[in-house]
Amino acid sequence: MSDIAYQVRDSLYLNITNRCTNQCPFCIRYKKREFDQKYLLWLEKEPSIEEIMAAIGDPTKYKQIVFCGYGEPLIRLDIIKEVSRKLKADSRAREVKIRIDTNGHGNLFWGKNILPELKGLIDFISISLNAENAEVYDQICHSFYGKAAYPAIVEFIREAKKYIPEVEASVVDLPTVNKEKCRQIAADLGVKFRVRPYYEETYVR
Ligand code: SF4
């Protein structure tokens, strides 16, 4: 049986899909089916709203609840909206921040601007910028959308700022990425910037 939720420090991560529109060679999905040697994250079946709510249990135990997955969570937009609505309606969970970790392809995938639909539901969105331009992004992420992915991500970040209080652009700490240029792009977009560790050492055992 797969784990729908797993805790890291004071955050609860929700594993809602294996599907993704990228094929990053560094993706942990290709390395292991478990995380932290105790959670089995490869989903045999995508969880329902009821299963996700049951996996969350008491939300007040966490500072943050994070939609992520082995894959791209915004592929399950309706589930994210409904679970977030339920959490926001729970008076006990007022202090709990709701976050999405995403590859930023949501508008490409859905063929529309989905960000207004997240207003009032999501407090923090972390978007993987991953590169300083479309060529480097394509080399790193092998997106289903090819070179169209990168400008769409930049636009997704710009648009996210209108609807979500906290927006972060991130990159993986790879030698092929110009992190200073990425930092400048995030600064020009007016969002936070974070370098994520490269987990190869952790997952390949
Ligand atoms: S975007 Fe994330 S989930 Fe998708 S392949 Fe890349 S690392 Fe994996």
Side-chain angles (χ1 to χ4, degrees), residues 2-171:
S2 317
D3 289 301
I4 299 168
Y6 58 99
Q7 188 173 353
V8 179
R9 292 179 290 280
D10 50 15
S11 298
L12 187 73
Y13 287 77
L14 300 176
N15 172 35
I16 61 172
T17 185
N18 298 329
R19 292 181 285 159
C20 188
T21 45
N22 271 350
Q23 303 166 89
C24 312
F26 55 79
C27 181
I28 62 171
R29 295 181 305 160
Y30 307 130
K31 312 287 182 195
K32 277 179 97 84
R33 296 202 159 189
E34 305 99 45
F35 171 72
D36 214 10
Q37 298 180 317
K38 56 183 169 189
Y39 299 109
L40 182 60
L41 293 190
W42 188 261
L43 296 165
E44 300 303 332
K45 160 181 139 350
E46 292 187 336
S48 64
I49 292 168
E50 294 70 29
E51 288 168 329
I52 295 169
M53 293 309 295
I56 295 170
D58 177 0
T60 61
K61 290 185 351 203
Y62 312 104
K63 279 199 177 151
Q64 269 193 126
I65 292 182
V66 187
F67 293 98
C68 58
Y70 251 173
E72 165 50 41
L74 282 171
I75 285 178
R76 302 201 71 203
L77 176 63
D78 289 346
I79 294 279
I80 287 180
K81 283 163 44 184
E82 197 46 40
V83 170
S84 301
R85 247 182 234 119
K86 285 181 184 294
L87 289 170
K88 289 288 180 200
D90 184 340
S91 57
R92 296 172 306 160
R94 287 228 172 88
E95 303 300 315
V96 182
K97 195 183 271 190
I98 304 180
R99 178 178 122 201
I100 300 178
D101 287 353
T102 176
N103 65 15
H105 295 182
N107 289 355
L108 279 176
F109 181 83
W110 290 103
K112 62 175 179 174
N113 183 6
I114 62 169
L115 286 155
E117 300 176 39
L118 301 176
K119 187 175 179 184
L121 298 176
I122 303 301
D123 304 300
F124 180 7
I125 190 162
S126 178
I127 302 166
S128 302
L129 177 67
N130 273 352
E132 64 274 24
N133 60 44
E135 285 68 33
V136 177
Y137 186 88
D138 200 39
Q139 283 160 17
I140 293 173
C141 297
H142 307 284
S143 174
F144 292 1
Y145 304 109
K147 296 213 174 79
Y150 188 79
I153 294 164
V154 172
E155 190 49 38
F156 193 81
I157 294 171
R158 192 174 284 120
E159 194 64 19
K161 278 176 53 191
K162 298 182 193 166
Y163 304 100
I164 298 177
E166 252 183 285
V167 182
E168 171 188 90
S170 73
V171 299

